[in-house]
């Protein structure tokens, strides 16, 4: 992995320009990918894979007025009746995770929202995140919450238990959605295990008020192998100074670089497709998967990989590189091969979103994973 060289900045004879567009890619190597009902994991440390998206809608009355903080209104848990206890978690590669094999952990990256009524009849909306990047929430009444002591991935509407808090007979409604993340410490050994069943939940003081849905089927298996991949491509792309163009879809700048992928396996040989996945750290522009939003406003980045890996990445097209975790196949290794090297060309474009394109420095960021299935 190499950093790109500084891009010369041309002299511009204009009074209004959009200066120094920058795309930063955070590169994660050797993650697994889902193959039917099996996730195949290779070597690597840190976050190795993300996938298996889920959405759960949960509604019903609380059936009890008491708030117990271990019964979060928004939760992801392996338990059917309460939030995930921290005693079941282990710090792996710096992340508190549910250990599913020696040196391998499971973490949700989820967000949720729940509306409920208090004992006094007020309606409150609680929104927050669970797992990655952190477990944190805020209510429409201004209350800020995190996981209570001894529990994880758990958001109660207040940080202290209270006897008369909820309206017991009024419906509360919650939606929890996200993906699963696998982390490893680099010491994982070849093995095959079944993942635990996990639930999205909105808990109550009594079981009759609990609402939950399975978000990780128990039939999913994890296979740990020796397959390992590395990617060599610039991860910081400077577009240089460019003229401001208020026309939506106008190309402001373009940069093209080699994208070289090297994979190898030393034992437990497998057949696998080699893929790239991109996650938008700065979001999607107007919800279009092939357009990575600028942090600063009305503009976006597109990508294109040659040899038919993606369609056109022109600013006016929507067939370029997707930034929504979709898999892009860039090669294939067989169990008869110990190594595989592929070379592609990736082209990045800085595009105008229209008249509200910002002036000054602009930037965007995505996370790139190399995966196999």
């Amino acid at each position: 992995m190499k950093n790109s060289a500084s891009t010369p900045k041309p002299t511009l004879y204009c009074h209004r320009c959009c200066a120094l567009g920058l795309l930063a890619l955070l590169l994660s190597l050797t993650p697994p990918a889902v193959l039917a009902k099996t996730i195949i994991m290779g070597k690597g440390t840190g976050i190795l894979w993300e996938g298996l998206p889920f959405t759960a809608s949960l509604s019903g009355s609380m059936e009890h007025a008491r708030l117990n903080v271990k019964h979060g209104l928004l939760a992801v848990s392996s338990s059917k009746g309460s939030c995930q206890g921290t005693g079941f978690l282990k710090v792996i590669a710096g992340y508190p995770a549910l250990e599913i094999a020696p040196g391998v952990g499971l973490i949700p990256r989820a967000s949720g929202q729940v509306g409920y009524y208090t004992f006094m009849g007020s309606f409150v909306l609680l929104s927050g995140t669970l797992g990655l990047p952190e477990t944190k929430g805020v209510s429409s009444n201004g209350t800020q919450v995190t996981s209570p002591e001894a529990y994880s991935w758990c958001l109660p509407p207040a940080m202290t238990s209270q006897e008369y808090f909820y309206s017991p007979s009024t419906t509360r409604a919650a939606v929890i959605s996200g993906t699963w993340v696998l982390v490893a410490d680099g010491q994982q050994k070849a093995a095959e295990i079944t993942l635990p069943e996990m639930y999205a939940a909105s808990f109550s003081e009594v079981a009759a008020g609990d609402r939950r849905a399975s978000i990780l089927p128990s039939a999913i298996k994890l296979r740990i192998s020796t397959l390992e991949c590395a990617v060599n491509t610039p991860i910081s792309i400077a577009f240089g100074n460019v003229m401001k163009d208020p026309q939506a879809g106008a190309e402001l700048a373009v940069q093209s670089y080699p994208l070289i992928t090297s994979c190898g396996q030393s034992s437990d040989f497998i057949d696998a497709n080699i893929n790239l996945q991109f996650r938008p750290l700065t979001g999607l522009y107007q919800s279009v998967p092939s357009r990575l939003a600028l942090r600063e406003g009305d503009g976006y980045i597109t990508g294109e990989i040659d040899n038919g890996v993606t369609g056109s990445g022109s600013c006016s097209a929507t067939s370029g590189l997707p930034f929504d975790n979709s898999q892009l196949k860039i090669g294939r290794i067989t169990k008869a091969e110990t190594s595989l090297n592929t070379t592609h060309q990736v082209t990045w474009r800085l595009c105008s979103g229209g008249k509200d394109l910002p002036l000054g420095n602009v930037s965007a960021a995505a996370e790139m994973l190399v995966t196999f299935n």
Side-chain angles (χ1 to χ4, degrees):
M1 184 170 67
K2 300 177 181 177
N3 291 328
S4 60
S6 298
T7 303
K9 300 178 181 178
T11 300
L12 300 179
Y13 297 96
C14 64
H15 296 290
R16 297 174 62 81
C17 63
C18 173
L20 190 60
L22 178 68
L23 168 64
L25 296 176
L26 302 180
L27 181 61
S28 297
L29 302 177
T30 63
V34 177
L35 175 62
K37 293 185 178 181
T38 300
I39 298 173
I40 305 173
M41 173 182 282
K43 295 180 179 179
T45 303
I47 294 178
L48 298 187
W49 172 83
E50 183 169 349
L52 294 176
F54 59 83
T55 297
S57 297
L58 311 164
S59 64
S61 59
M62 298 298 295
E63 301 294 333
H64 201 284
R66 186 171 191 269
L67 163 64
N68 186 328
V69 294
K70 73 176 183 179
H71 297 145
L73 271 189
L74 295 172
V76 172
S77 180
S78 60
S79 169
K80 294 182 178 181
S82 67
C83 288
Q84 186 72 47
T86 55
F88 293 92
L89 303 186
K90 182 177 180 180
V91 176
I92 299 174
Y95 299 94
L98 183 65
E99 188 174 44
I100 54 177
V104 179
L106 179 71
I107 313 171
R109 188 195 299 274
S111 61
Q113 189 174 75
V114 57
Y116 68 95
Y117 285 87
T118 68
F119 189 78
M120 300 303 294
S122 299
F123 177 78
V124 181
L125 189 67
L126 170 64
S127 303
T129 55
L130 301 159
L132 294 176
E134 61 181 335
T135 299
K136 185 176 182 180
V138 62
S139 292
S140 55
N141 62 11
T143 302
Q144 297 187 20
V145 293
T146 59
S147 281
E149 186 176 356
Y151 293 92
S152 296
W153 312 337
C154 178
L155 289 177
M159 297 306 297
T160 56
S161 298
Q162 302 175 41
E163 290 299 325
Y164 298 98
F165 187 88
Y166 297 114
S167 169
S169 59
T170 308
T171 297
R172 64 44 168 97
V175 176
I176 301 173
S177 59
T179 54
W180 288 104
V181 172
L182 284 171
V183 298
D185 63 7
Q187 303 302 310
Q188 59 269 29
K189 305 297 184 183
E192 182 169 300
I193 64 168
T194 300
L195 299 185
E197 189 165 12
M198 301 292 293
Y199 303 93
S202 183
F203 292 119
S204 168
E205 176 69 2
V206 294
D210 288 344
R211 295 293 182 272
R212 64 180 176 269
S214 176
I215 54 174
L216 184 64
S218 58
I220 299 291
K221 294 185 180 299
L222 171 65
R223 179 184 178 189
I224 302 172
S225 76
T226 63
L227 182 56
E228 183 175 20
C229 294
V231 172
N232 187 337
T233 194
I235 61 171
S236 182
I237 296 94
F239 289 100
N241 286 354
V242 298
M243 293 183 63
K244 180 180 174 73
D245 190 332
Q247 180 179 348
E251 181 181 296
L252 303 176
V254 60
Q255 295 286 350
S256 187
Y257 298 96
L259 190 153
I260 302 168
T261 306
S262 302
C263 299
Q265 51 186 342
S266 58
S267 62
D268 189 31
F269 299 106
I270 61 172
D271 298 322
N273 295 321
I274 311 302
N275 312 298
L276 293 180
Q277 294 176 224
F278 293 82
R279 187 171 71 87
L281 299 181
T282 52
L284 298 176
Y285 181 74
Q286 296 183 344
S287 300
V288 178
S290 61
R291 296 177 178 178
L292 178 67
L294 298 180
R295 286 188 177 93
E296 296 76 13
D298 202 21
Y300 55 93
I301 302 288
T302 68
E304 178 180 336
I305 301 177
D306 66 355
N307 296 330
V309 175
T310 73
S312 171
S314 69
C315 290
S316 59
T318 58
S319 56
L321 185 154
F323 294 94
D324 61 356
N325 264 331
S326 298
Q327 292 183 346
L328 296 171
K329 181 181 175 181
I330 58 173
R332 178 172 176 80
I333 191 170
T334 72
K335 58 188 176 183
E337 298 174 303
T338 58
S339 64
L340 174 74
N341 296 290
T342 65
T343 300
H344 292 276
Q345 196 75 10
V346 58
T347 300
W348 303 106
R349 291 177 173 88
L350 175 62
C351 307
S352 173
K355 62 182 180 62
D356 294 325
L357 179 70
L359 299 177
N361 293 346
V362 295
S363 61
E367 183 178 58
M368 179 169 66
L369 306 177
V370 55
T371 70
F372 39 89
N373 66 0

